[in-house]
Amino acid sequence: MPACLVQGASRGIGLQFCRHLLRGVPNSTVIATCRNPGGATELQTLQAEFPSTLHIVPLDVLDEGSIQRAASEVQQHHGGGVDLLINCAGILHPSGRGETSLRDVSSQGLSTTFSTNAVGPLLVAKYFSPLLQKGTGAFGQHGSNKRTHAAVMANLSAKVGSTTDNGLGGWYSYRMSKCALNMATKNLSIELGRGKNKVICVSLHPGTVDTDLSRPYHKNVPSDKLLSTERSVQCLMDFVNGLTMQHTGKFFTWEGKEMPF
Amino acid sequence: MPACLVQGASRGIGLQFCRHLLRGVPNSTVIATCRNPGGATELQTLQAEFPSTLHIVPLDVLDEGSIQRAASEVQQHHGGGVDLLINCAGILHPSGRGETSLRDVSSQGLSTTFSTNAVGPLLVAKYFSPLLQKGTGAFGQHGSNKRTHAAVMANLSAKVGSTTDNGLGGWYSYRMSKCALNMATKNLSIELGRGKNKVICVSLHPGTVDTDLSRPYHKNVPSDKLLSTERSVQCLMDFVNGLTMQHTGKFFTWEGKEMPF
């Protein structure tokens, strides 16, 4: 019974990960976290379809106490380990628009974006890593005779979080926060890569996906470059299913291409 | 009359930059900023030695209003442009110790470190870039017949802010904040690399320097690897003096070696 935790599951890519896992992975249990379960209409609809295998747990990435309580709840009610954790919650900027220039940069915008996109996922890793270390290794590939890892943690990053690849500038808050998240992934891969119950940790670029986050920019994206959430999640899960310990600490696109930091 | 601004000048590397520039660069004016000029004893001693060329201006990187006021003060009292801006203020972690493991990671520690090390320097760039664009190009190298840039901005980063180079993990807050600062430098190099009055923007690793920041770790550093502030600043300034527009947006060590992000 693979157990998956999707953090930031109320809409967009996170919601689609829940659908994909519930419909496509036999016997899987999905723990879907979001800030406000009461307002997560689509997630509730999905729960009506999967009443015994989808568990919705409140978790606000901006509130460390709430992350800790969510981990306790999962530990108590769910029992066993978690085989896959996907950190999805993210914002472009509190205004909904990335900064075009220095003029638009503000202390508040930078801090909120950093807290949501980088601090949040790292705190989720802090409180849920003991559950990941109890995973059964249901995702990713193992050596022929032995289990090489206990679980997989995937942090949804973005190509624009690559400093090496940055040729256009702008989007200060988003770029800096996703860049910092990639550093967190690398650090996590080292800390959780020790001992018997290793956790594969990767940063993933989902492509430019048809979600609320990127909506203000869709008119600039050629239609064949704008991915549906279904396509993006299918590709990301195909990639996750092929992961080995060789991939840990690295940054990949939805097409499986390694990105430089 | 080259004008230099050293942000975070009350002690350590920042204080040494002030000494170096005042003593070594003929006719230079140094604007030294720090959070609390009243408590900056060594900076006041230096001012007694250079009463007409060292200006001390209050600036707290955690307070956007204070950065804006400092820029207005420099603009009003100093008049012309700024040829060199060095962002020095930085902390390892509010506790004075980098996180050894996830257990030590906290929302508060991450946020404060990010605000000081990444947001602060970027906001300084926001408010001081108009003065940098009025620089005379006194630092760095120009083409044989024409001025290629107006000024240089150097952000003090750290080798541990390189995700590619990260082999040990730990120090989550410091690594993530310096990594984000490097992204800011890259973004700044693009935005301030346009037009006639370009600003060369670089991230610099000063080495492991004998300062309060690294003091808790000195016993682990072989004595020939621990740099004096004098040695580090001499090497960094030799490097800054050789900068061209080819270097903008990149990350270098005190030895002039380019670091990957």
Side-chain angles (χ1 to χ4, degrees):
Chain A
M1 288 250 305
C4 312
L5 189 139
V6 181
Q7 183 273 112
S10 63
R11 55 187 190 156
I13 297 172
L15 179 65
Q16 181 57 29
F17 266 115
C18 295
R19 286 197 188 105
H20 182 98
L21 291 163
L22 289 163
R23 291 174 187 165
V25 181
N27 303 315
S28 66
T29 297
V30 173
I31 301 142
T33 77
C34 62
R35 194 170 36 175
N36 175 22
T41 325
E42 292 180 275
L43 199 53
Q44 288 174 358
T45 306
L46 194 61
Q47 202 187 25
E49 193 183 337
F50 298 95
S52 64
T53 53
L54 174 60
H55 304 166
I56 303 178
V57 174
L59 186 159
D60 178 353
V61 284
L62 294 179
D63 175 357
E64 184 165 355
S66 131
I67 299 170
Q68 189 167 20
R69 285 190 297 277
S72 296
E73 185 175 335
V74 172
Q75 164 79 48
Q76 280 173 26
H77 292 257
H78 182 68
V82 170
D83 297 300
L84 175 64
L85 188 158
I86 307 172
N87 271 307
C88 293
I91 58 169
L92 188 50
H93 187 267
S95 70
R97 283 265 179 187
E99 304 96 333
T100 306
S101 75
L102 270 174
R103 243 192 340 270
D104 308 322
V105 164
S106 72
S107 171
Q108 189 55 48
L110 287 159
S111 299
T112 305
T113 310
F114 180 70
S115 296
T116 308
N117 294 357
V119 177
L122 180 57
L123 293 174
V124 168
K126 173 182 175 182
Y127 292 102
F128 284 92
S129 57
L131 291 171
L132 290 168
Q133 287 167 328
K134 288 191 212 152
T136 63
F139 293 88
Q141 296 294 316
H142 298 268
S144 49
N145 281 317
K146 61 170 190 154
R147 200 195 68 161
T148 55
H149 60 272
V152 171
M153 171 162 41
N155 293 325
L156 281 203
S157 184
K159 194 176 170 183
V160 296
S162 163
T163 310
T164 306
D165 188 66
N166 179 4
L168 290 174
W171 291 22
Y172 285 84
S173 297
Y174 192 66
R175 285 187 188 273
M176 289 165 71
S177 67
K178 291 296 191 181
C179 177
L181 175 62
N182 290 343
M183 175 63 95
T185 300
K186 181 75 165 266
N187 252 24
L188 287 167
S189 75
I190 295 168
E191 183 163 349
L192 303 177
R194 299 181 184 128
K196 205 161 56 103
N197 298 304
K198 300 183 202 307
V199 180
I200 296 174
C201 303
V202 289
S203 277
L204 298 177
H205 166 58
T208 303
V209 183
D210 185 7
T211 64
D212 293 343
L213 185 142
S214 59
R215 183 141 304 128
Y217 300 93
H218 288 179
K219 66 174 192 297
N220 308 321
V221 182
S223 60
D224 61 325
K225 298 281 179 192
L226 188 66
L227 303 183
S228 65
T229 53
E230 289 81 356
R231 176 92 197 284
S232 173
V233 165
Q234 178 68 60
C235 291
L236 291 170
M237 280 306 306
D238 286 349
F239 183 71
V240 163
N241 284 322
L243 287 173
T244 70
M245 281 299 294
Q246 297 296 316
H247 296 93
T248 198
K250 297 179 180 170
F251 179 19
F252 300 94
T253 70
W254 60 283
E255 295 166 299
K257 192 185 145 214
E258 187 174 346
M259 287 293 299
F261 296 110
Chain B
M1 288 250 304
C4 313
L5 189 139
V6 181
Q7 184 273 112
S10 62
R11 55 188 190 153
I13 296 171
L15 178 66
Q16 180 57 29
F17 267 115
C18 296
R19 287 198 187 106
H20 182 98
L21 292 162
L22 288 163
R23 291 174 186 166
V25 182
N27 303 316
S28 66
T29 298
V30 173
I31 301 142
T33 77
C34 61
R35 192 170 38 176
N36 174 23
T41 325
E42 291 180 275
L43 199 53
Q44 287 173 358
T45 306
L46 194 62
Q47 201 186 25
E49 192 184 340
F50 297 94
S52 63
T53 52
L54 175 60
H55 303 167
I56 304 176
V57 174
L59 185 159
D60 178 354
V61 286
L62 293 180
D63 174 359
E64 183 164 356
S66 132
I67 300 171
Q68 189 167 20
R69 286 190 296 278
S72 298
E73 185 175 334
V74 172
Q75 165 78 48
Q76 279 173 27
H77 291 257
H78 181 68
V82 170
D83 299 300
L84 175 64
L85 188 158
I86 308 172
N87 271 308
C88 294
I91 58 169
L92 187 52
H93 187 268
S95 70
R97 283 268 179 183
E99 303 96 333
T100 306
S101 75
L102 271 174
R103 241 192 342 268
D104 308 322
V105 164
S106 72
S107 172
Q108 189 54 50
L110 287 159
S111 299
T112 304
T113 310
F114 181 70
S115 297
T116 308
N117 294 357
V119 177
L122 180 56
L123 293 173
V124 168
K126 173 183 175 181
Y127 291 103
F128 284 92
S129 57
L131 292 171
L132 290 169
Q133 287 166 330
K134 288 191 211 151
T136 62
F139 292 89
Q141 297 294 315
H142 298 268
S144 49
N145 281 317
K146 61 172 189 149
R147 199 194 67 159
T148 55
H149 60 272
V152 171
M153 171 162 40
N155 293 326
L156 281 203
S157 184
K159 195 177 169 184
V160 296
S162 163
T163 309
T164 307
D165 188 66
N166 179 3
L168 289 175
W171 290 21
Y172 285 84
S173 297
Y174 192 66
R175 286 186 186 274
M176 289 166 71
S177 66
K178 292 296 191 183
C179 178
L181 175 63
N182 290 342
M183 175 62 96
T185 301
K186 180 77 165 265
N187 252 23
L188 287 166
S189 75
I190 294 167
E191 183 163 349
L192 303 177
R194 299 182 185 127
K196 205 161 53 105
N197 298 304
K198 301 184 201 309
V199 180
I200 296 175
C201 303
V202 290
S203 277
L204 298 177
H205 166 58
T208 302
V209 184
D210 184 7
T211 63
D212 292 344
L213 185 141
S214 58
R215 184 141 304 130
Y217 300 93
H218 288 179
K219 67 175 188 297
N220 308 320
V221 181
S223 59
D224 61 324
K225 298 280 180 192
L226 187 68
L227 302 182
S228 64
T229 54
E230 290 81 357
R231 176 91 198 283
S232 172
V233 165
Q234 178 68 58
C235 291
L236 291 170
M237 279 307 305
D238 287 348
F239 184 71
V240 164
N241 285 322
L243 286 173
T244 71
M245 281 300 292
Q246 296 297 317
H247 297 92
T248 199
K250 297 179 181 171
F251 179 20
F252 300 95
T253 70
W254 61 282
E255 295 167 299
K257 191 186 144 212
E258 187 175 348
M259 287 292 300
F261 296 109

